[in-house]
Amino acid sequence: MGAGHHHQIYRAGDTLVHRLPPQCKLAAVAAFALVVVATPREWFWAFGLYALLLAAVAVAARVPALSVLRRMVIEIPFVVFAVALPFIGFGERVSLLGLSLSAEGLWSAWNILAKATLGVVASVLLASTTEPRLMLLGAQRLRLPPLLVQIAMFMLRYLDVIVDEMRRMRVARESRGFTARDVRHIPVVARSAGALFIRSYERGERVHLAMLSRGYSGSMPIIQDLSASARQWLVAGMLPGAALVALLGTWGLAL
Amino acid sequence: MHVPDGFFNVAVSISAGAVAAAGVAVCLRGARRELDDRTAPMAGLVAAFIFAVQMLNFPVAAGTSGHLLGGTLAAILVGPYTAVLCMAVVLLVQGFFFADGGLTALGVNITLMGIVAVVVGWTVFRLITRSTRSRGVVVAASFVAALVSVPAAALAFTLLFWVGGTAPIEVGTVAAAMGGVHVLIGVGEGLITAVTVSTVLAVRPDLVYGARGLAAPLVLRGADGDATVVRQAPAGTPAQRTSARNSAEVEAGAGAGAGARVRAQAGSRRLGWFLPVGIAVAALLAGAVSFYASSSPDGLERVAEDKGFIGHATDHALAGQPLADYGEVGGIPVGVAGLIGVVVTLVVGAALFFAVRRLAGRHASEDEVSA
Amino acid sequence: MTPSLEVSRLAYAYPDGTQALFGVDFEIGRGERVALLGPNGAGKTTLVMHLNGILTAGHGTVTVAGLPVSKGSLREIRRRVGLVFQDPDDQLFMPTVREDVAFGPANLGIGGEELERRVKGALERVGMLETIDRPPHHLSFGQRRRVAVATVLAMEPEILVLDEPSSNLDPASRRELADVLRSLDVTVLMVTHDLPYALELCDRALILSGGTIAADGPTGEILSDAELLAAHRLELPYGFAPPRPGHPS
């Protein structure tokens, strides 16, 4: 959470991954994330395989490593937390590089770092290869409640408009010599927030009127039909499928 | 505060997902009642607004800054059901479109920031404004409600962490660290929420869901001089409030609605719903914890079995912490600690509630005349 | 021939009691282009909202191509009256241009091939076909204006009602829009402060002032009557010579 991450991750392209129907990609990435989180932290091989799988997807989608790395910045607070774990964790201590570290803490740090990183990379790859509106249509096909999808659609459509208005208010404040530095300045910023809410709400009303004027009667009309073939589901399923195979394989080896 | 993948174990992630899904389902129906066929565009715009204001960061203490959560603000402005939907949509979009927050942690994130924050904030708000509903009280209630909602969410996080967190830190430490910072963040959240609500109240009081019925009622004078007071409707039908560019041309009838739909009774009915639910959610999280802890294969159970822990407690950097001790013995004391945490929050909230109520009682008559 | 639009003794008061329209009467024939002029606060936008049933009159009637506006006829009325708002962002609420233009006809139950044909046809008429798959916020303001016009054209309306169509447009966009409006084969009612634009595109002008129609005549005549204009807070822009009576354009 924080400023600046509202820039779209989507990168246009025409690769196999880009062409997969969105519902397949959504389901595949969610399933993959689940397999990753369910993996016991001791099974290093499994994690290595997961990383390779994601690399393969990145190559297939022609997403440059740099753009993925840039979006991983979002992870930093938890990286800091994970790094601190061996120092503040309880339990048996081991000696590593002359430092007394918690064994449990080390394991836990690895656990969080590995799973969080794999999760973020998978999300970034999904967002890089799927247009936002297609993502919403895919979610709808996966039975996400239509009202929720519609709310998300309007939100995405007007996000830039609202954020721009907020930015303009900040410019107006700063042009008059104001910068928020401490708690006393909160009320000024909050007043802009109030004005922004009114503007957003009134815009929502005008949008509703525009919809009424074009015949809207309460439910959104179906404009585009998105269906996936069995073959496309199979292709998308390769990611979580391979991850599952890796998981079970490592389990088999461990036995 | 968006939790990533791997921070919680699978059991908690999935259970929280179920709670989140159920909560959102309930609110889908409730929101339609709040906004009828305007729900999609209105909630979408409000969600965009929340996303935007979450980017506001305010200084909390030396060096640290906090971000606005917005759950209580949304509930006060557009009603609790719509607020939960908006928060859920914001979190879903942040997870899928901006890779902010783990996909498997969506259940946890939505439960904490969408449901707990909104339910706690709205409950506190309604408790305070139940009897007195003047502008001043609404603003004060906004402050207290938002203030309490942040540490409440942090407390819920701590409880979830104790149940299925994958990091070996005593719950007490987590509670202390989270609680401290989040009370400070709560102050900032409270301030921003209160001032924002106050600003909207000054310009468009009909847009504040939590202040319905606040506008001076219209008086109709009959031919023989008798006067009847018309009950105010909440934010009226869209037709009556067309806000055109040339606002001078179209006058938005302040707060009036053509058909006086009396919402006051519905409001208190809704409060009745939220109060037991709010307490139940908190108690469930605290109580269910004990049940879960015993069946949890890793985390505190395993550590508690490790006899070496007690001996090494003194090596621990935070061993001096008053709350660190209760983590020694797994099981009952920790469960009690969880419940104590909930009780503490409620006591703090209640104390503030009574304080504001007393103030409200003093100013009630003056404020209602000037509203 | 049935007039495109008939407004008869229309009166309306806001919920707080302020009366905005005190009996508005006028008729617009098929194929006419009419400008609606008037000072701020005259009630022009309020009047326009009655034309497609968003506001319900307290008194009087609105009839569109013979069909009176009533609760039961709203769906057909909203097909016949294509209302283009002042802020295109309020009107382009779908993720892509294609979906925005398709929204109207899709609500009428049109789908498949026919829908595709209408969408492409409407965009072609405003000269915006190449933007069909782009998100609206990637277009310039003038382009968004034109796409907004396309969104109502796709419903094949009887009358196109535009609220301040030339506001905030740069000169080139203004001209492009004027070309588009001239090329269309629909009745046009244009609410505007832009008097030269009104003169350029509309043969007839109405002045709405104080809640009633204060003037109704050929645009050239109305704009040459300085007293009439002044009485209703209208002025010709600096450097614009009033048209001589008898030479309307």
Side-chain angles (χ1 to χ4, degrees), chain B residues 218 220 237-244 246-259, chain C residues 11-22 39-50 54-59 208 210-211:
Chain B
L218 286 181
L220 302 175
T237 56
Q240 268 73 37
R241 275 195 338 296
T242 54
S243 26
N246 311 332
S247 51
E249 279 205 63
V250 181
E251 240 236 76
Chain C
Y12 175 76
Y14 299 113
D16 69 349
T18 326
Q19 189 160 355
L21 301 174
F22 289 79
N40 279 344
K44 301 195 291 292
T45 305
T46 308
L47 171 61
V48 155
M49 299 266 181
H50 282 88
I54 290 180
L55 292 180
T56 316
H59 180 84
L208 181 71

Side-chain angles (χ1 to χ4, degrees), chain B residues 22 34 39 42 68 71 83 112 200 233 292 294 311 318 336:
Chain B
E34 276 169 359
T39 310
M42 299 301 321
L68 188 77
L112 291 177
V200 179
Y292 249 111
S294 51
L318 293 164
V336 169

Side-chain angles (χ1 to χ4, degrees), chain A:
Chain A
M1 187 160 64
H5 73 287
H6 62 278
H7 296 294
Q8 213 170 257
I9 303 188
Y10 174 64
R11 306 168 55 92
D14 191 26
T15 66
L16 169 70
V17 183
H18 281 84
R19 284 193 295 265
L20 278 174
Q23 63 267 36
C24 305
K25 286 187 274 187
L26 273 169
V29 171
F32 176 80
L34 210 56
V35 170
V36 168
V37 171
T39 309
R41 57 199 184 182
E42 295 86 359
W43 299 1
F44 294 111
W45 289 113
F47 289 108
L49 280 165
Y50 300 154
L52 278 174
L53 280 171
L54 286 180
V57 172
V59 166
R62 278 189 233 141
V63 175
L66 201 62
S67 71
V68 176
L69 283 168
R70 226 178 306 144
R71 304 309 297 213
M72 282 168 65
V73 165
I74 239 165
E75 252 199 301
I76 286 187
F78 281 97
V79 169
V80 169
F81 172 75
V83 165
L85 277 176
F87 297 93
I88 64 176
F90 50 54
E92 226 176 283
R93 313 295 288 197
V94 291
S95 188
L96 198 68
L97 302 170
L99 296 161
S100 170
L101 301 170
S102 155
E104 186 67 25
L106 280 168
W107 273 118
S108 192
W110 155 251
N111 183 46
I112 293 180
L113 274 175
K115 293 182 180 174
T117 308
L118 286 169
V120 168
V121 171
S123 287
V124 169
L125 288 176
L126 172 67
S128 306
T129 58
T130 316
E131 252 182 294
R133 72 182 185 97
L134 283 181
M135 187 103 82
L136 288 175
L137 286 171
Q140 191 159 15
R141 281 205 70 105
L142 289 174
R143 299 274 195 261
L144 200 67
L147 182 57
L148 219 54
V149 174
Q150 283 162 38
I151 296 176
M153 188 190 80
F154 285 108
M155 177 196 163
L156 282 172
R157 164 65 183 94
Y158 288 103
L159 198 53
D160 288 328
V161 174
I162 306 289
V163 170
D164 271 342
E165 277 184 19
M166 200 172 81
R167 208 173 281 137
R168 265 181 272 140
M169 287 188 200
R170 185 172 55 88
V171 170
R173 285 198 305 267
E174 285 174 6
S175 306
R176 283 176 246 168
F178 174 87
T179 34
R181 245 184 281 270
D182 59 53
V183 196
R184 290 172 302 144
H185 296 149
I186 288 180
V188 179
V189 176
R191 264 186 273 277
S192 304
L196 186 66
F197 173 75
I198 295 173
R199 282 191 219 180
S200 309
Y201 196 91
E202 289 181 346
R203 183 181 284 280
E205 290 181 318
R206 292 196 301 271
V207 168
H208 179 247
L209 284 182
M211 292 168 74
L212 282 181
S213 302
R214 304 221 298 271
Y216 176 67
S217 51
S219 52
M220 296 291 273
I222 301 169
I223 293 171
Q224 195 172 1
D225 199 30
L226 261 184
S227 44
S229 68
R231 185 179 163 274
Q232 288 170 316
W233 276 107
L234 271 166
V235 171
M238 288 198 317
L239 177 65
L244 197 60
V245 165
L247 178 68
L248 294 171
T250 320
W251 181 48
L253 284 170
L255 283 175

Side-chain angles (χ1 to χ4, degrees), chain B residues 69-122:
Chain B
L69 185 56
T72 310
L73 178 61
I76 296 173
L77 290 175
V78 293
Y81 296 105
T82 312
V84 170
L85 285 188
C86 292
M87 296 298 284
V89 168
V90 167
L91 288 164
L92 283 167
V93 166
Q94 284 169 335
F96 282 103
F97 291 81
F98 301 110
D100 190 359
L103 294 184
T104 59
L106 273 171
V108 171
N109 283 320
I110 292 179
T111 303
L112 291 177
M113 291 182 267
I115 300 180
V116 170
V118 171
V119 168
V120 170
W122 178 249

Side-chain angles (χ1 to χ4, degrees), chain B residues 14-91:
Chain B
I14 294 188
S15 319
V19 168
V24 167
V26 165
C27 293
L28 278 171
R29 243 164 294 156
R32 242 186 271 261
R33 263 180 288 134
E34 276 169 359
L35 288 172
D36 60 66
D37 73 323
R38 298 185 294 153
T39 310
M42 299 301 321
L45 263 300
V46 172
F49 164 75
I50 292 176
F51 189 100
V53 294
Q54 280 186 346
M55 293 197 279
L56 286 174
N57 66 348
F58 48 89
V60 171
T64 22
S65 62
H67 286 284
L68 188 77
L69 185 56
T72 310
L73 178 61
I76 296 173
L77 290 175
V78 293
Y81 296 105
T82 312
V84 170
L85 285 188
C86 292
M87 296 298 284
V89 168
V90 167
L91 288 164

Side-chain angles (χ1 to χ4, degrees), chain B residues 65-292:
Chain B
S65 62
H67 286 284
L68 188 77
L69 185 56
T72 310
L73 178 61
I76 296 173
L77 290 175
V78 293
Y81 296 105
T82 312
V84 170
L85 285 188
C86 292
M87 296 298 284
V89 168
V90 167
L91 288 164
L92 283 167
V93 166
Q94 284 169 335
F96 282 103
F97 291 81
F98 301 110
D100 190 359
L103 294 184
T104 59
L106 273 171
V108 171
N109 283 320
I110 292 179
T111 303
L112 291 177
M113 291 182 267
I115 300 180
V116 170
V118 171
V119 168
V120 170
W122 178 249
T123 308
V124 172
F125 177 82
R126 286 294 281 143
L127 275 175
I128 298 180
T129 60
R130 178 175 218 168
S131 34
T132 26
R133 199 96 78 82
S134 71
R135 227 157 260 212
V137 173
V138 166
V139 173
S142 309
F143 174 77
V144 176
L147 166 61
V148 173
S149 71
V150 177
L155 178 75
F157 171 88
T158 310
L159 289 169
L160 280 179
F161 174 83
W162 183 70
V163 173
T166 58
I169 308 188
E170 291 102 336
V171 178
T173 314
V174 174
M178 291 287 283
V181 170
H182 283 85
V183 167
L184 284 176
I185 295 180
V187 172
E189 174 107 9
L191 266 175
I192 296 189
T193 303
V195 178
T196 306
V197 170
S198 159
T199 308
V200 179
L201 270 179
V203 181
R204 289 286 307 264
D206 55 314
L207 292 192
V208 180
Y209 185 88
R212 287 162 300 149
L214 211 56
L218 286 181
V219 177
L220 302 175
R221 270 184 234 287
D224 43 358
D226 63 347
T228 38
V229 176
V230 178
R231 279 291 206 119
Q232 285 305 299
T237 56
Q240 268 73 37
R241 275 195 338 296
T242 54
S243 26
R245 275 291 138 161
N246 311 332
S247 51
E249 279 205 63
V250 181
E251 240 236 76
R261 293 189 305 251
V262 180
R263 289 278 199 102
Q265 290 112 344
S268 51
R269 220 187 297 136
R270 211 165 274 142
L271 165 66
W273 204 93
F274 264 92
L275 183 54
V277 166
I279 293 184
V281 166
L284 187 76
L285 283 171
V289 149
S290 313
F291 169 71
Y292 249 111

